[in-house]
Amino acid sequence: MLGESQTGGTMNQTMKQLPESEKPYEKCIQQGEQTLSDAELLAVIIRTGTKGESAVSLARNLLAEFRYPEGLLGLFRASIPELCNIKGIGMVKAVQLKCIGELSKRIVKAGFGKQPVFSSPEDIANYYMEQMRHEPREHTIVLMLNSKNRLLYEKVISTGTVNSSLVSPREIFLEALRHQAVSVCLIHNHPSGDPSPSREDILITKRLKEAGEIIGIYLLDHVIIGDNSYNSMKKRGIL
């Protein structure tokens, strides 16, 4: 592994002796982690390659196998069984890759604090983008907010097929009452990557708006997450 001595000279000497599969470590220390390519970053995570193949080479194979218009996204959408189908990727490496993907999502959310305030559709989209743009199926989440638009609670209320999900206004407002919410926000993803609202999306937005006005818990917005893009029903004038 990396140099066992803490002295600069010995460290440099040890680095020069590193096998090709571990050169990303050397590059990271000398030039910074931002200089590593996607394959080199992955190589640091998976650590070892296979017989006759370095960790960097294995990482390149992974990226090629799960290629996607935006590179790493395809890899992190892959399931553990799919990852294990790649020569050189066993259960441990597959779990490491999935955990890194999950960690990246949580790091984004951590910057908002424990109780984020959603003052705009951009705030909502930024908070949920990395979590939801990777999902292969539609997930619908209801956010319960207080009078200052601070998040009180969130709940996944529907996991649908690739094209649709079922939303129950009754379930949404029961949850809102249970958590003493002043307003709610609906958010769901479009696995196609296109956040344009469907006819069904518009209809459910109008139904929730009307139901909320009767109960006194208002629908703040309905945000649709696409692939690094989003749509706000409020911005579109539907709310």
Side-chain angles (χ1 to χ4, degrees):
M1 293 304 295
L2 294 180
E4 296 176 359
S5 172
Q6 299 303 309
T7 63
T10 305
M11 174 67 83
N12 289 336
Q13 183 178 6
T14 306
M15 286 298 177
K16 291 177 182 178
Q17 297 171 348
L18 283 172
E20 192 64 34
S21 63
E22 293 187 352
K23 287 297 174 67
Y25 291 90
E26 180 179 6
K27 184 177 178 181
C28 180
I29 291 171
Q30 293 181 350
Q31 302 177 40
E33 66 276 6
Q34 70 278 1
T35 66
L36 271 62
S37 67
D38 290 348
E40 288 170 332
L41 287 168
L42 284 172
V44 171
I45 296 167
I46 62 179
R47 299 181 59 189
T48 58
T50 59
K51 186 176 181 180
E53 183 177 46
S54 70
V56 174
S57 177
L58 178 55
R60 291 194 187 106
N61 290 343
L62 275 169
L63 289 171
E65 179 67 25
F66 298 105
R67 59 186 176 275
Y68 190 80
E70 294 186 6
L72 287 170
L73 183 57
L75 174 63
F76 290 117
R77 280 183 169 178
S79 65
I80 287 179
E82 287 173 332
L83 290 168
C84 287
N85 283 334
I86 304 300
K87 182 182 178 182
I89 300 296
M91 186 62 70
V92 171
K93 284 185 171 66
V95 169
Q96 287 173 332
L97 290 169
K98 296 302 292 182
C99 287
I100 286 294
E102 179 60 28
L103 186 61
S104 68
K105 300 175 191 177
R106 297 189 188 188
I107 288 172
V108 171
K109 283 191 170 184
F112 287 81
K114 290 184 178 180
Q115 278 192 303
V117 175
F118 298 131
S119 301
S120 67
E122 288 84 0
D123 290 339
I124 297 169
N126 288 337
Y127 188 78
Y128 286 97
M129 182 64 69
E130 288 308 307
Q131 173 187 342
M132 301 189 74
R133 67 191 285 244
H134 302 278
E135 296 291 348
R137 295 189 297 167
E138 280 195 11
H139 283 63
T140 303
I141 300 175
V142 61
L143 314 180
M144 274 69 80
L145 309 171
N146 67 12
S147 59
K148 296 182 179 180
N149 292 339
R150 188 176 294 278
L151 181 64
L152 299 173
Y153 187 74
E154 66 172 57
K155 182 179 180 180
V156 177
I157 58 171
S158 177
T159 301
T161 64
V162 170
N163 297 313
S164 65
S165 58
L166 300 175
V167 177
S168 167
R170 180 177 181 274
E171 182 181 355
I172 288 174
F173 287 108
L174 280 175
E175 283 292 337
L177 289 168
R178 187 176 295 120
H179 293 279
Q180 300 182 331
V182 172
S183 61
V184 297
C185 179
L186 199 67
I187 178 170
H188 81 278
N189 63 304
H190 279 181
S192 67
D194 180 2
S196 300
S198 65
R199 180 176 176 274
E200 184 183 37
D201 295 334
I202 294 172
L203 287 175
I204 191 63
T205 301
K206 291 180 177 179
R207 285 175 60 201
L208 290 173
K209 178 179 182 292
E210 293 169 359
E213 288 173 348
I214 294 171
I215 296 173
I217 300 176
Y218 301 99
L219 179 63
L220 184 68
D221 204 344
H222 180 180
V223 176
I224 303 171
I225 299 294
D227 191 358
N228 217 24
S229 59
Y230 74 95
N231 233 310
S232 160
M233 295 295 190
K234 187 173 185 178
K235 276 190 170 183
R236 292 178 68 95
I238 296 171
L239 284 174

